[in-house]
Amino acid sequence: MTNRPTPTARLTLAGTAAAALAATAVLLPGAGAATAAPAQVAHQAKAAANLAAQLGNRAAGSYYDAASRRLVVDITDASAAPQVRATGAVPKVVRYSTPQLRTAIADLAKQARIAGTAWAIDPRQDKVVVTADPTVTGAKRSRLDAAVEALGGRAVLRHTASPFKLKIAGGDAIWGSSVRCSLGFNVTVNGAPYFLTAGHCGNASSTWSDTQDGSEVGQTVDSQFPGTDYALVQYDDSGSSPASEVDLYDGSTQQITGAADAYVGESVQRSGSTSGLHSGSVTGLDATVNYSEGSVSGLIDTSVCAEAGDSGGALFDGSSAIGLTSGGSGDCSSGGETFFQPVTAALSAEGATIP
């Protein structure tokens, strides 16, 4: 992507590289180009999510079913079905409510915060999906098994073939003092130009360039990791007006006009300097990943792949900014799972807006 008021640069935790003044990027990419969800679907998804929140113990989240092309709202009380249908969504009666699944997550945080694990609520299964990478063995594996078993039917355990990582490596990127990452999205704060990238990238360098050993183009002014994973970098050229675009790596760009919250089942794309453009879908929200460097919560879980150098890169759906590449497992040859910091949370915390 080319969000550039000056030459482009990028950062990443999942990898390095992103068109530095171009809003591209990510941590681990996926395969193929994603199809932007129609505006009507996004609107219905928001309405469905709001209704699920209003129903409290009578609901258990919502998701988009690609097969039927309908929004589905999980309910624990069949009497709530008319309210769901009124939004244009399909009601589905399930066993566990959102509060019950969130209690399960709280128990996992107390009993199983082990490096190499992750968890997120999947409304399609009405369960908390717990993932363990290959480093979770021996006593750690026994501890995790016991924690999941104690949750009964509220949780299911699965395994990934490769470790969860924050990757800093090569690619078309923004360069720090000792790292390379991908730029996420250009933003403004009080009218001045900034860009967002991953917090683990911001922790690694206070200054950024669009080429290795090149002239400085910006300085890190805030970096949040672990806990969350985003950083705010201020452009040195305060008079420039960065474009709000994402590099599609085919000679074209996608204009970004605003930010939106992700929803389960949403088709998304990720742009990164190492692996280029890849697509996938949102598989879970409010995910927690326990990296060896620390735990991060509130993430978007996806089936998109990414590689080293993609950290900090852009996750988007059409013209909407969705997330910043944090980390994950796998690669774009064998497939992978990538987690993203929600852009809306970063914008709110920093008082920033998409140009």
Side-chain angles (χ1 to χ4, degrees):
M1 53 213 287
T2 22
N3 284 8
R4 340 177 168 183
T6 63
T8 64
R10 313 169 192 181
L11 347 166
T12 77
L13 170 55
T16 65
L21 310 184
T24 72
V26 105
L27 161 61
L28 314 175
T35 300
Q40 181 179 8
V41 174
H43 177 74
Q44 290 180 341
K46 185 174 182 179
N50 288 339
L51 175 60
Q54 292 170 15
L55 291 174
N57 289 330
R58 302 167 66 202
S62 61
Y63 61 96
Y64 178 69
D65 180 32
S68 65
R69 298 183 180 179
R70 299 291 297 276
L71 264 299
V72 178
V73 175
D74 290 342
I75 54 175
T76 57
D77 180 356
S79 67
Q83 291 173 264
V84 174
R85 294 191 184 97
T87 69
V90 176
K92 177 184 175 183
V93 178
V94 298
R95 179 176 181 181
Y96 300 109
S97 68
T98 295
Q100 287 175 308
L101 296 179
R102 285 180 176 166
T103 297
I105 284 180
D107 290 343
L108 287 167
K110 294 177 183 176
Q111 306 297 330
R113 197 175 285 277
I114 301 165
T117 64
W119 48 76
I121 293 176
D122 184 351
R124 296 167 301 181
Q125 299 186 58
D126 188 37
K127 295 180 185 296
V128 175
V129 177
V130 182
T131 305
D133 74 16
T135 67
V136 183
T137 59
K140 293 191 295 183
R141 172 63 182 275
S142 297
R143 177 181 162 195
L144 180 63
D145 287 345
V148 172
E149 184 177 357
L151 297 175
R154 291 179 293 166
V156 60
L157 178 63
R158 69 182 183 89
H159 303 274
T160 183
S162 55
F164 290 126
K165 295 179 180 178
L166 294 174
K167 301 178 182 178
I168 299 179
D172 178 15
I174 47 175
W175 296 82
S177 54
S178 61
V179 299
R180 184 173 58 169
C181 287
S182 293
L183 181 146
F185 298 97
N186 283 322
V187 300
T188 59
V189 179
N190 295 325
Y194 294 74
F195 67 80
L196 292 171
T197 188
H200 61 271
C201 292
N203 285 1
S205 183
S206 60
T207 61
W208 297 95
S209 171
D210 59 351
T211 59
Q212 188 173 21
D213 300 321
S215 300
E216 177 187 307
V217 297
Q219 298 185 14
T220 302
V221 295
D222 188 30
S223 184
Q224 300 294 324
F225 177 86
T228 53
D229 195 5
Y230 63 85
L232 183 67
V233 178
Q234 183 172 20
Y235 283 115
D236 290 343
D237 181 1
S238 61
S240 62
S241 221
S244 183
E245 301 174 334
V246 172
D247 190 349
L248 300 182
Y249 286 91
D250 63 357
S252 65
T253 61
Q254 168 65 58
Q255 183 178 13
I256 300 298
T257 59
D261 293 323
Y263 55 89
V264 173
E266 181 176 14
S267 294
V268 290
Q269 292 177 289
R270 174 197 62 68
S271 176
S273 56
T274 297
S275 56
L277 183 71
H278 288 274
S279 66
S281 63
V282 175
T283 58
L285 301 176
D286 296 325
T288 292
V289 185
N290 298 302
Y291 299 116
S292 59
E293 297 87 348
S295 297
V296 182
S297 297
L299 300 177
I300 301 165
D301 192 0
T302 75
S303 63
V304 185
C305 71
E307 296 181 356
D310 287 330
S311 284
L315 180 73
F316 59 101
D317 179 357
S319 61
S320 296
I322 302 295
L324 304 168
T325 304
S326 175
S329 65
D331 56 38
C332 291
S333 296
S334 60
E337 175 181 12
T338 304
F339 297 90
F340 296 84
Q341 163 69 45
V343 166
T344 52
L347 292 174
S348 177
E350 297 294 351
T353 59
I354 299 291

